[in-house]
Amino acid sequence: MDFNVKKLASDAGVFFSRAMQFTEEKLGQAEKTELDAHFENLLARADYTKNWTEKILRQTEVLLQPNPSARVEEFLYEKLDRKVPSRVTNGELLAQYMTEAASDFGPGTPYGKTLIKVGETQRRLGAAERDFIHSASLNFLTPLRNFLEGDWRTISKERRILQNRRLDLDACKARLKKAKAAEAKAACEGDAEHELRLTQTEFDRQAEVTRLLLEGISSTHVNHLRCLHEFVESQTNYYAQCYQYMLELQKQLGSSKGEIFSGTFVGNAESTSPPAAATSPPAVGAATLPAVPTIPVVPTIVGVPNTVAEGVLNPNEVKPPASGTRKARVLYDYEAADSTELALLADEMITVYSLPGMDPDWLIGERGNQKGKVPVTYLELLS
């Protein structure tokens, strides 16, 4: 192999000179060219931008993928420039288990039906999570990663070059100072002054290049701010979807809860009692009332028409019982389906009570002069 001995010796000399200058500066034995205050502020701003960007990037990755093994796998695929294989989310996996369980327990049974409903909601939640992860990775993580792997590497490279230029400049200053001290070596002094002018020019040029790159950090902040807004918007949409899916599931389970428990009671009664046809409607209604044990049932209420037992309620004709009313806190907003129901607002307090023959999943609610049916699942009953 052919080596350029002169270049190798020259590079070794430069490296040795820089090392000596750096060491003497650390020991306080040599002067150091200081950068102006604005430049130092730019350097400090660039450093904490890099440090905090790294921390935010890593913690966002943990948020999107809590499994460290999965994160390592994704990192390796990324470094190998290969597509990351599609991974089933936890919600989708839970949905799969619930659906398979419902198949074994019987899709027509109350438990099987509920497993299917909940499993479908979990599948939708898993799909929403997948979309959120993809959006956050594309619109938030990728720009942060591009800064660290692109702009910051360029800034670091130019800062190292600037550091070398400064060491060369200070070394030339030191040599010139020594040459001036030697009265008989005027020629050496001239060479040192010429070298100092060249080194000063290179240092000034590199300082300007580095300054422009550091000032570009402001544009980086603006870009990351836009990406942060997009991340928040994606997260908001994701949680809004989850809330909507769970609200729909809660309504489905609330509307079918009475049917499930009523069907279970009748099914159990068939094995130990006469056929269901022999059971009078009042007996079945009385049997289902314990589904809401926290609300006492009033046997007779003056002023309540017989149509209540048939499922038809006129709120204006309902009178609260003398005893048995309770306070309840509303958990979620509820929009009344018709004039017999009472619309609810989350966190408000209302008075509730039960009527003979009512669906156990419903109560009568009162708010001032307003009155109507309210779903039990939307309430927190207070003592």
Side-chain angles (χ1 to χ4, degrees):
M1 183 177 294
D2 186 17
F3 288 99
N4 189 331
V5 179
K6 291 184 178 180
K7 183 177 184 305
L8 186 61
S10 175
D11 292 343
V14 171
F15 177 79
F16 179 76
S17 175
R18 291 171 181 171
M20 286 291 296
Q21 178 65 27
F22 185 79
T23 303
E24 291 176 355
E25 288 176 358
K26 290 298 181 181
L27 297 176
Q29 299 175 355
E31 296 182 1
K32 176 182 177 181
T33 300
E34 299 292 343
L35 301 170
D36 61 78
H38 175 65
F39 202 103
E40 292 289 353
N41 289 335
L42 291 177
L43 289 173
R45 189 185 189 198
D47 286 335
Y48 61 67
T49 297
K50 178 256 186 182
N51 294 335
W52 284 114
T53 299
E54 283 183 334
K55 292 181 179 180
I56 292 173
L57 173 66
R58 299 294 175 255
Q59 193 56 39
T60 305
E61 290 176 337
V62 173
L63 173 68
L64 299 180
Q65 178 51 267
N67 188 339
S69 299
R71 292 200 303 274
V72 171
E73 181 183 357
E74 292 174 357
F75 175 79
L76 293 176
Y77 272 99
E78 180 182 346
K79 290 303 178 183
L80 295 174
D81 198 19
R82 296 179 58 184
K83 184 178 179 181
V84 179
S86 178
R87 183 178 288 105
V88 178
T89 63
N90 293 328
E92 291 171 326
L93 187 59
L94 178 59
Q96 177 183 340
Y97 290 164
M98 286 185 171
T99 303
E100 294 175 356
S103 177
D104 288 341
F105 296 148
T109 63
Y111 187 32
K113 289 180 181 178
T114 305
L115 279 172
I116 292 175
K117 291 179 180 179
V118 177
E120 175 60 22
T121 300
Q122 295 300 323
R123 184 194 64 77
R124 298 171 71 185
L125 292 173
E129 180 185 2
R130 183 192 302 277
D131 293 340
F132 166 61
I133 292 175
H134 175 73
S135 176
S137 299
L138 183 64
N139 298 325
F140 187 61
L141 290 184
T142 298
L144 299 185
R145 196 176 289 113
N146 288 342
F147 165 72
L148 294 173
E149 297 178 356
D151 294 348
W152 180 252
R153 286 186 177 180
T154 301
I155 292 174
S156 299
K157 175 184 175 182
E158 298 300 330
R159 286 178 65 175
R160 287 193 298 270
I161 295 175
L162 177 63
Q163 175 74 351
N164 291 334
R165 295 286 184 266
R166 186 194 63 75
L167 291 172
D168 292 343
L169 175 62
D170 290 336
C172 287
K173 290 180 179 179
R175 286 194 295 271
L176 178 60
K177 187 176 181 180
K178 292 179 181 179
K180 288 182 177 180
E183 299 178 356
K185 298 180 179 180
C188 294
E189 181 180 347
D191 293 340
E193 289 179 349
H194 177 68
E195 183 181 4
L196 177 61
R197 285 193 297 270
L198 293 178
T199 308
Q200 183 71 54
T201 302
E202 293 178 356
F203 171 77
D204 293 340
R205 184 185 300 112
Q206 184 61 37
E208 184 62 25
V209 171
T210 307
R211 184 193 302 272
L212 292 175
L213 289 174
L214 293 174
E215 289 176 347
I217 292 291
S218 298
S219 300
T220 299
H221 285 189
V222 172
N223 182 41
H224 289 181
L225 174 62
R226 177 183 58 81
C227 297
L228 185 60
H229 278 284
E230 293 181 358
F231 173 69
V232 172
E233 183 177 355
S234 299
Q235 199 170 29
T236 302
N237 293 336
Y238 167 60
Y239 286 122
Q241 280 183 303
C242 293
Y243 173 77
Q244 185 62 36
Y245 294 156
M246 294 307 299
L247 197 61
E248 293 174 5
L249 175 62
Q250 189 179 46
K251 289 182 179 180
Q252 293 177 16
L253 298 182
S255 62
S256 61
K257 182 178 178 182
E259 298 176 4
I260 292 174
F261 284 107
S262 176
T264 304
F265 171 78
V266 174
N268 293 337
E270 288 177 351
S271 60
T272 59
S273 62
T279 305
S280 60
V284 175
T288 57
L289 284 176
V292 190
T294 56
I295 300 295
V297 179
V298 182
T300 57
I301 301 177
V302 179
V304 179
N306 294 332
T307 55
V308 173
E310 300 174 1
V312 179
L313 172 67
N314 185 350
N316 296 325
E317 298 177 358
V318 172
K319 296 181 180 179
S323 62
T325 62
R326 295 183 64 175
K327 290 292 184 180
R329 185 175 70 86
V330 179
L331 299 176
Y332 319 101
D333 293 344
Y334 178 75
E335 185 177 352
D338 52 46
S339 60
T340 66
E341 297 181 4
L342 179 65
L344 303 175
L345 295 176
D347 294 328
E348 69 172 331
M349 302 293 294
I350 63 173
T351 302
V352 295
Y353 50 89
S354 177
L355 297 177
M358 280 190 64
D359 187 329
D361 293 319
W362 294 83
L363 297 172
I364 301 298
E366 288 189 1
R367 185 203 305 111
N369 296 328
Q370 297 178 325
K371 186 183 306 183
K373 296 191 301 181
V374 295
V376 176
T377 55
Y378 282 67
L379 305 175
E380 177 186 2
L381 302 177
L382 307 176
S383 57

